[in-house]
Structure formats: C-alpha cells, structure tokens
Amino acid sequence: MPTNRSKSEKHEATKQLRRDPYEVLGVTRNSTDQEIKSAYRKMALKYHPDKNANDPKAADMFKEVTFSYNILSDPDKRRQYDTAGFQAVESESQDLELDLSSLGAVNTMFAALFSKLGVPIKTTVSATVLEEALNGVVTIRPLPLGQAITKKVEKQCAHFYAVTITEADARAGFVCQVQSSDKSKFKLLYFDQEETGGLSLCLQEDSAKTGKVTSAGMYFLGFPVYRLDQTLNSMAAAKDPDAAFFKKLDGFQPCELTELKAGTHVFAVYGDNFFKSASYTIEALSCGPFTEQKENLRAVEAQILTKRVELSKFETEYREVLAQFTEMTSRYTQEMQEIDELLRQRNEIHASYTIAPPMKRSSSRSRNKGQSKEVNEEGQVRDKKSTFRDRSKRKKWFNIHLKVDKRKPC
C-alpha cells in the first residue's frame, strides 16, 4: 500500500508541475497551426536527444515540448484543453512521433512489426537532416516544372529539390507530387528559407496508400485545400468499430499554406522506411492547364466538409437507434426463453393427469441391438450347420469305393 500511495503522489505532483503548452512552445492562444508547428520544430531540434545525449534536462524538455505539441496540433485536444485544461485531455492516448534514426535495431524492429499489424506509428524527420538543412549544408538539385525525376533515397535521409516558379505560375497554382510504385514510405517536405541561408521545415506530408502506389502531394491553388490525416483518432477507432466510420473525416483539416509566391522554393523527399531505401518519382506542375481539375477539387472538398457535418448528426441518430435495437434484441431473447419455459411447464401439467404407472420405454437402440444379436446368433448357427454339411459331403466323397477293372490295363 505505501508503494502505491507514493506512486499516485508522484503522479499528482507531475500533473501539478505541468506547464501550459502555449508557454512551453513560446506561442500565444491565438497562434495559427503553422506558427505552432514552426515553434515545435525549432524547439524539438534544439532539445533532441541526438544533440544532447548526456543531458537529462534536455531529454525532459524534449518530452515536454513533444507532449505540448501533441495537444496543440490536434484541433479537438486543443479545444478541450482551452475549455477545461489538462483534465479534459487524455495524456495516455497521446501519439508520440518517433525519430527512427535514434532508435536501436531492436526498437526499430518492434516499431516495424506494430506498423505491419496496423498500429499507426508516427515518425518524425531525423534531427540530423533538420540540422544540416538549418545549417545550409545540404545538396539541392534543380526540379524543372513538368519534368518527373525518379530516384532512390536511403532510410532516414533526404533528397532536396529547388523549384523556380514565375508570377504566372503562382497565379495559376502550383502542385508538387511524389509517388512510389514500390509502396515505399516517405515524407514530402517543404522548407522556408532563413535569412542566414539555412532551411527550416515548414510543411510535411506523410505518404499514404492510394491504389497500387503510395503518394503524397502539396497543392498551392490560391484557395483553401485540405489534407486527410488518416492516423488521427485511430486508437479510439480501434476500440469502437463504428468509430472507424464516424471519425473517418475528423482528420480532414485545411493546409497551412494556400499559395506560393514567385521565386525559388525548396522541397525534399525523406525516406521513411524502417529498414530499406525508398524509391520515388517527384514532379512539380504549374496548374495553368488544369483549370477544370482545380474547380472539381474545390467542389468535392466542399461536399466533404458538408458530409462531415452530416456525419456528426447521423452518428447521434445511429447511436440512439443502435441502443434501441440492442434493447429490442435483448428483450426478444428474453421473451423467447420465457415462452419456451411456460410451454414446458404446460406439457408437464398435461402429463401429470394420469394414475397409470410411468411407462418404461425401450429405446430403438436396444431393439436394434436385440435384433442384431438374434441375427448374429442365427447366422452363426447357420454357418455351423453349413460347415458340418460341407464336411460330411467331403467325407462321403473320399469314402467312395472306385471299382477298377483289372482286366483292362490302366
């Protein structure tokens, strides 16, 4: 008992010592998602375990930064925290992002196994890659508009590309897409260029399976474009099968940037496989020839937003009807059992109206056994008789006296 009490006291003390997530990341309550993400990237890079191997304070700070970002990056959890503080946030269900480059071989193997089993494993870009980009020591390849480039990037490494767009391209819209026919896991990254000449991570899109390939894309079309985070609320959906459907559109959130200015922009493809390199094809397109596709995308995403609202209302109705159905099913089973019991009692009462002794009914099995025995016995007797007759016949045959005429030669 004392041990349990001390653990609970420590847990309560930890709760009381938690700092405001906004304070931890150095942002305000009115900060945008992009501002929160930028602040997190900088602090995570500063306190990352790879750079502070023997500093326990940096490790604790890294955990605090990650915990705070997991709350503020999720719209639902951020709203819950703003309303009721930490008590409204389930800290046990926080999804942590793993840096695979800092994991050992055994931990990486376990992460790969869980991923194969369908458990969503969130990964983050290696601190080494982010630090090299921030220091401006990465190799950047040119990516011409309308030209696809196929490469293979090693795990936890990145290939950087520079794309130059004109004023006309910026007005028409711009798209950068990456696909992998090998279904490799990768991340598509977009970097801001710092005044010091370095690059800081601004946007990140994880690859997702789309048909026979894995793909990721960034769409700067001049109007709000949405991304679908399929890992959001995945653990809650696993506990409730129906939740997998009703929460399917919860991760449908607007992208931080809607357009790019004319100039040179830097993208990167990051290999996110657990053990092997990732093959990919990247291309950058000006959306001038794709006017119809732009309007279709805008219309479809507007319908998805409407459907998300309708789905929320439908879930309430569905839960009510499901509860009624469950209640009716339970009552159906109960009524059936009660009726069967009453009919059984009625039959017993009917059978009790008699003064005759109870009849001993011989089972059909005993009858069959008796008949089979008789048949067997008769069969055995018949077999014995037939055998005796055969023997007697053979004996008479051998007792026949053959008369041989001695006068005729044999």
Side-chain angles (χ1 to χ4, degrees), residues 1-11:
M1 294 297 292
T3 306
N4 294 336
R5 190 178 299 112
S6 63
K7 284 184 179 180
S8 61
E9 289 175 357
K10 288 180 180 180
H11 184 65

Side-chain angles (χ1 to χ4, degrees), residues 143 147-153 159 161 175-189 205-219 268-271 273 277-285:
L143 177 61
Q147 180 178 336
I149 296 179
T150 301
K151 291 283 186 180
K152 184 177 289 188
V153 59
H159 288 172
Y161 294 93
V175 171
C176 183
Q177 286 194 123
V178 182
Q179 288 187 348
S180 173
S181 57
D182 293 341
K183 297 183 179 179
S184 298
K185 293 180 63 179
F186 59 87
K187 298 179 187 294
L188 175 59
L189 312 176
E205 289 290 340
D206 290 359
S207 61
K209 289 183 179 180
T210 53
K212 296 182 179 180
V213 301
T214 51
S215 63
M218 293 184 181
Y219 305 86
V269 181
Y270 178 80
N273 282 334
S277 57
S279 59
Y280 67 90
T281 299
I282 183 173
E283 59 180 342
L285 300 171

Side-chain angles (χ1 to χ4, degrees), residues 34-35 37-39 41-42 130 133-136 140 160 189-204 220 256-257 259-261 264-268:
Q34 180 58 38
E35 292 172 342
K37 183 174 290 187
S38 298
R41 300 294 183 192
K42 292 179 181 179
L130 296 178
L134 195 60
N135 294 332
I140 302 177
F160 289 80
L189 312 176
Y190 173 72
F191 288 85
D192 276 335
Q193 300 185 28
E194 302 288 340
E195 295 180 356
T196 57
L199 302 171
S200 62
L201 184 60
C202 178
L203 298 177
Q204 171 181 313
F220 308 95
E256 291 84 354
L257 295 179
E259 58 184 357
L260 295 180
K261 296 181 179 180
T264 301
H265 300 272
V266 179
F267 294 85

Side-chain angles (χ1 to χ4, degrees), residues 175-405:
V175 171
C176 183
Q177 286 194 123
V178 182
Q179 288 187 348
S180 173
S181 57
D182 293 341
K183 297 183 179 179
S184 298
K185 293 180 63 179
F186 59 87
K187 298 179 187 294
L188 175 59
L189 312 176
Y190 173 72
F191 288 85
D192 276 335
Q193 300 185 28
E194 302 288 340
E195 295 180 356
T196 57
L199 302 171
S200 62
L201 184 60
C202 178
L203 298 177
Q204 171 181 313
E205 289 290 340
D206 290 359
S207 61
K209 289 183 179 180
T210 53
K212 296 182 179 180
V213 301
T214 51
S215 63
M218 293 184 181
Y219 305 86
F220 308 95
L221 305 177
F223 56 84
V225 177
Y226 291 77
R227 69 157 63 93
L228 180 60
D229 184 0
Q230 299 179 352
T231 62
L232 191 62
N233 295 322
S234 56
M235 298 305 293
K239 296 179 182 178
D240 183 1
D242 292 331
F245 168 68
F246 291 111
K247 295 184 179 297
K248 192 170 185 177
L249 298 180
D250 283 5
F252 195 67
Q253 301 295 333
C255 299
E256 291 84 354
L257 295 179
T258 60
E259 58 184 357
L260 295 180
K261 296 181 179 180
T264 301
H265 300 272
V266 179
F267 294 85
V269 181
Y270 178 80
D272 205 25
N273 282 334
F274 289 100
F275 299 108
K276 62 180 182 179
S277 57
S279 59
Y280 67 90
T281 299
I282 183 173
E283 59 180 342
L285 300 171
S286 174
C287 295
F290 300 95
T291 304
E292 183 178 356
Q293 286 83 348
K294 285 175 57 178
E295 296 304 320
N296 290 341
L297 179 62
R298 188 203 295 260
V300 168
E301 290 193 338
Q303 293 177 15
I304 293 176
L305 292 174
T306 303
K307 186 61 65 175
R308 185 173 64 179
V309 176
E310 295 176 355
L311 198 61
S312 178
K313 296 179 181 178
F314 174 59
E315 181 180 10
T316 304
E317 298 174 1
Y318 174 82
R319 299 289 184 187
E320 293 175 356
V321 174
L322 182 62
Q324 294 177 0
F325 174 77
T326 304
E327 181 181 357
M328 290 297 103
T329 304
S330 177
R331 181 179 174 184
Y332 175 86
T333 304
Q334 182 180 356
E335 294 289 346
M336 179 181 291
Q337 293 174 350
E338 291 179 357
I339 291 173
D340 290 342
E341 177 63 21
L342 292 173
L343 291 176
R344 186 189 64 79
Q345 294 178 10
R346 176 177 176 273
N347 292 337
E348 289 182 353
I349 295 172
H350 284 176
S352 66
Y353 282 98
T354 181
I355 59 174
M359 297 177 61
K360 294 183 179 180
R361 298 180 179 178
S362 59
S363 62
S364 59
R365 290 183 180 179
S366 61
R367 293 176 185 173
N368 294 334
K369 287 182 180 179
Q371 292 175 359
S372 61
K373 284 182 180 179
E374 293 174 2
V375 171
N376 291 338
E377 290 176 359
E378 292 176 2
Q380 289 177 1
V381 172
R382 288 173 183 173
D383 291 342
K384 288 181 180 179
K385 289 181 179 179
S386 61
T387 307
F388 178 77
R389 288 173 183 172
D390 293 340
R391 288 179 181 176
S392 61
K393 287 179 181 179
R394 288 197 293 271
K395 187 175 182 181
K396 287 181 179 179
W397 171 258
F398 287 110
N399 290 335
I400 294 176
H401 297 285
L402 300 175
K403 293 182 180 181
V404 180
D405 191 354

Side-chain angles (χ1 to χ4, degrees), residues 22 29 71-85 88-89 250 253:
Y22 294 100
R29 289 183 176 267
I71 294 176
L72 300 185
S73 62
D74 187 322
D76 291 335
K77 292 174 183 176
R78 182 179 180 181
R79 183 174 61 253
Q80 292 171 1
Y81 174 79
D82 291 343
T83 304
V89 181
D250 283 5
Q253 301 295 333

